[in-house]
Amino acid sequence: MTTTATDGPPDAATEARGVDLDELRALVGRSSPFNSARDPVNEPMIRHWCDVLGEENPVYTDAGAAAASAFGGIVAPPAMLDVWDKPGLPQRRDPDNPQSAALTVLDHHGFTSTVAVNSELEFARFLRPGELVHSTLTLEDVSDEKHTGLGVGHFVTSRIRYLVGDEMVGSVLFRVLKFRPGTGRPADPAPERAAARDPDPAKRPRPAINRDNQYFWDGARDHELRIQTCNRCGAKFFPPTPRCSECGGFDMGFTVASGRATLYSFAVPHHPQADGFRYPVLVGLVELEEGTRLVSNIVGCTREHLSVGMPLEVCWLDSHPALVDGADDSRGPISLPQFRPARVPRRETTRAVADVEVGEPLPLDAIPLTTTLIVGGALMTRDYFDGHHDRDMAVRRGSKDVFMNIHTTLGLVERYISDWAGPEAVWRALRVRLGAPNYPYDTMTMSGRVDAVDTASGAVTIAFRGTNQLGDHVSGTAELLLPGGRAYAEAVGAR
Ligand code: ZN
């Protein structure tokens, strides 16, 4: 299923006809026959999931660490719940499935575009390798015709129940909007956006490369951040200088910076605007851990995320041919160092509920959105909808590029929260609302805060948000159980 944009037939007629709601209402309350997963829960699929998402929680992949954990063995990432029963490449709409039937009716009435709106996963327990999941879907609701920003359409809500044998192991509520293409309200560009110059990074002025700074740009092409260093006294300089101002020496070399830095100061210039930048542009005075400061762009976050002293890490704006048209010319490609919020290392030990406070912020996590992540994420979740892996088809369906599927988003949210909570947190629920699509060459920056803590049970609720250049891609809440609470002890004791 798609995260966003159209997945109806690209050339479907979009004639405006009313829907016979009775035909749809007759489907509400119906359930599909049980659908059995093709394969049991298995370690290769779990490893593939972890590889693509950068998920490093050892309880999913490291048999020794998992055996020594509160879980006593390998468990599956909870957000994989609705991956196990996916059909894979032979995608088809099952006529006995009331959701498919409702979507087909809506397609025939011109509501050919689909956008996933909500997904709410609830987990009774972790799944383990060897368990065979089966599922049944119930169509819970088809809304009256609604006028939304995307277009005129109907919300279709389904709930899928997952079982192992007779035991209910979890459920997923899934809501999509089926809408008629071209009936949405025209986008109302923010005044700042409307006035913006062409943000194509190829339009940026190219650096003037000379003998004194050649080493810097040569390094940038290899993603090496080089700091000019006096070979005689070791003093470091930025910008480069022909002669050491400390010892007077002319023998200048360079050292390679780690890329770790902090934000020393920042400015958000609004005028005058130049082509090649996306406004508001964030300009930081960045202090490298080696001590040198340089001026650079701060990316992967908004003005609201910035604070003096925040940890940053270098990232690179490359003249990738798909990103910077014409940059691969006779003057050669250029890479520019930029800085984004540094990813905080994953916790090795699990937080105790007593140590968590309402209002506590989670660290930022700026996740680069690459075509590889989007395509890899779709395929690892057995989602072969072409808009997630085929740029030509995605464009033909009205998207600007391939876009991330919902399961990849769920996996990234799960990684983000579990990196903060620790490896043995027990997941109870993950509820998301989807917004702007995740396209390649953007960054999704995760932020969050603790919304509720119940020390007695160990239950903690986290509110989170994942933002890209287009706005909020995902927002929602996660419910976890943490050590120290009664419900946590029951959950890990009852395995
Ligand atoms: Zn010197």
Side-chain angles (χ1 to χ4, degrees):
M1 193 53 79
T2 69
T3 298
T4 179
T6 61
D7 78 346
D11 298 318
T14 57
E15 53 190 299
R17 277 188 284 149
V19 175
D20 178 4
L21 275 176
D22 289 343
E23 185 185 357
L24 286 171
R25 293 272 152 73
L27 295 164
V28 171
R30 288 205 194 156
S31 296
S32 68
F34 273 98
N35 171 45
S36 184
R38 293 203 317 190
D39 302 300
V41 174
N42 63 83
E43 292 180 42
M45 272 180 67
I46 294 173
R47 271 201 300 277
H48 191 186
W49 166 282
C50 293
D51 286 351
V52 170
L53 294 171
E55 171 65 76
E56 291 174 345
N57 187 339
V59 303
Y60 301 143
T61 53
D62 180 335
S69 76
F71 307 142
I74 284 183
V75 293
M80 288 186 81
L81 176 64
D82 57 343
V83 169
W84 300 111
D85 68 335
K86 288 282 172 292
L89 188 51
Q91 293 207 308
R92 62 192 165 81
R93 282 191 183 166
D94 176 358
D96 295 329
N97 179 313
Q99 183 198 43
S100 299
L103 298 185
T104 302
V105 170
L106 290 166
D107 273 338
H108 288 160
H109 287 84
F111 300 95
T112 53
S113 294
T114 309
V115 54
V117 188
N118 299 95
S119 188
E120 300 185 358
L121 287 70
E122 294 182 4
F123 315 106
R125 65 166 175 82
F126 284 98
L127 289 168
R128 290 168 185 273
E131 293 186 312
L132 189 67
V133 175
H134 58 138
S135 64
T136 176
L137 176 146
T138 304
L139 184 65
E140 293 207 331
D141 188 52
V142 179
S143 76
D144 293 336
E145 189 169 285
K146 302 284 186 190
H147 292 258
T148 75
L150 286 171
V152 176
H154 296 265
F155 291 96
V156 178
T157 306
S158 311
R159 185 179 297 275
I160 311 168
R161 291 174 176 79
Y162 293 88
L163 295 91
V164 171
D166 295 332
E167 182 193 3
M168 174 104 152
V169 292
S171 70
V172 175
L173 179 139
F174 193 62
R175 182 175 295 125
V176 300
L177 172 67
K178 286 289 283 178
F179 64 99
R180 195 173 275 139
T183 57
R185 287 189 286 273
D188 185 21
E192 207 147 28
R193 290 262 164 82
R197 303 292 203 96
D198 182 350
D200 179 351
K203 301 286 195 311
R204 291 191 186 190
R206 290 174 68 88
I209 298 178
N210 57 41
R211 258 192 327 196
D212 290 335
N213 66 18
Q214 179 80 46
Y215 75 95
F216 181 84
W217 297 106
D218 287 349
R221 287 186 187 117
D222 294 331
H223 292 186
E224 255 184 29
L225 183 60
R226 295 178 176 176
I227 317 169
Q228 192 186 39
T229 305
C230 172
N231 284 334
R232 194 158 88 182
C233 76
K236 294 184 169 63
F237 298 95
F238 191 93
T241 163
R243 184 179 188 188
C244 177
S245 59
E246 296 293 317
C247 73
F250 285 97
D251 182 13
M252 305 299 282
F254 64 84
T255 49
V256 177
S258 70
R260 289 186 291 273
T262 51
L263 186 59
Y264 186 81
S265 180
F266 63 90
V268 186
H270 294 268
H271 299 285
Q273 295 199 351
D275 283 342
F277 296 88
R278 189 175 292 276
Y279 288 85
V281 66
L282 308 179
V283 178
L285 182 57
V286 172
E287 184 162 282
L288 302 179
E289 70 173 1
E290 291 80 5
T292 312
R293 291 176 198 151
L294 67 146
V295 174
S296 184
N297 289 137
I298 312 299
V299 296
C301 62
T302 63
R303 164 68 185 86
E304 291 68 40
H305 291 134
L306 294 181
S307 61
V308 165
M310 70 188 284
L312 299 170
E313 62 191 16
V314 74
C315 57
W316 298 91
L317 177 64
D318 290 327
S319 58
H320 189 296
L323 186 63
V324 183
D325 291 334
D328 191 17
D329 59 16
S330 60
R331 296 169 297 174
I334 289 289
S335 293
L336 271 181
Q338 309 184 122
F339 288 81
R340 65 185 175 209
R343 186 174 171 194
V344 172
R346 177 181 70 79
R347 274 185 71 91
E348 304 279 341
T349 58
T350 308
R351 298 184 64 126
V353 68
D355 298 336
V356 177
E357 284 183 23
V358 172
E360 175 185 337
L362 273 64
L364 299 178
D365 187 0
I367 302 171
L369 302 175
T370 62
T371 306
T372 305
L373 173 63
I374 290 166
V375 174
L379 300 190
M380 94 190 161
T381 54
R382 294 175 164 172
D383 183 347
Y384 287 85
F385 171 64
D386 53 27
H388 301 316
H389 64 258
D390 182 335
R391 180 171 293 148
D392 293 338
M393 284 306 295
V395 168
R396 197 169 169 210
R397 292 178 187 282
S399 283
K400 72 167 189 175
D401 205 329
V402 294
F403 49 93
M404 185 173 284
N405 77 338
I406 186 167
H407 296 95
T408 307
T409 298
L410 291 170
L412 291 170
V413 169
E414 185 175 86
R415 178 191 98 180
Y416 171 63
I417 290 171
S418 98
D419 280 0
W420 167 85
E424 294 168 290
V426 170
W427 283 76
R428 275 293 174 256
L430 177 55
R431 300 187 173 92
V432 305
R433 164 177 285 275
L434 293 163
N438 264 350
Y439 290 125
Y441 309 111
D442 200 343
T443 299
M444 176 170 71
T445 299
M446 298 298 308
S447 59
R449 67 189 281 279
V450 177
D451 234 18
V453 180
D454 178 4
T455 314
S457 69
V460 171
T461 304
I462 313 293
F464 59 83
R465 187 174 295 279
T467 308
N468 63 32
Q469 286 179 355
L470 302 173
D472 281 350
H473 168 68
V474 63
S475 59
T477 56
E479 289 175 28
L480 308 178
L481 299 175
L482 295 180
R486 195 179 54 248
Y488 181 84
E490 285 167 8
V492 298
R495 60 181 164 84

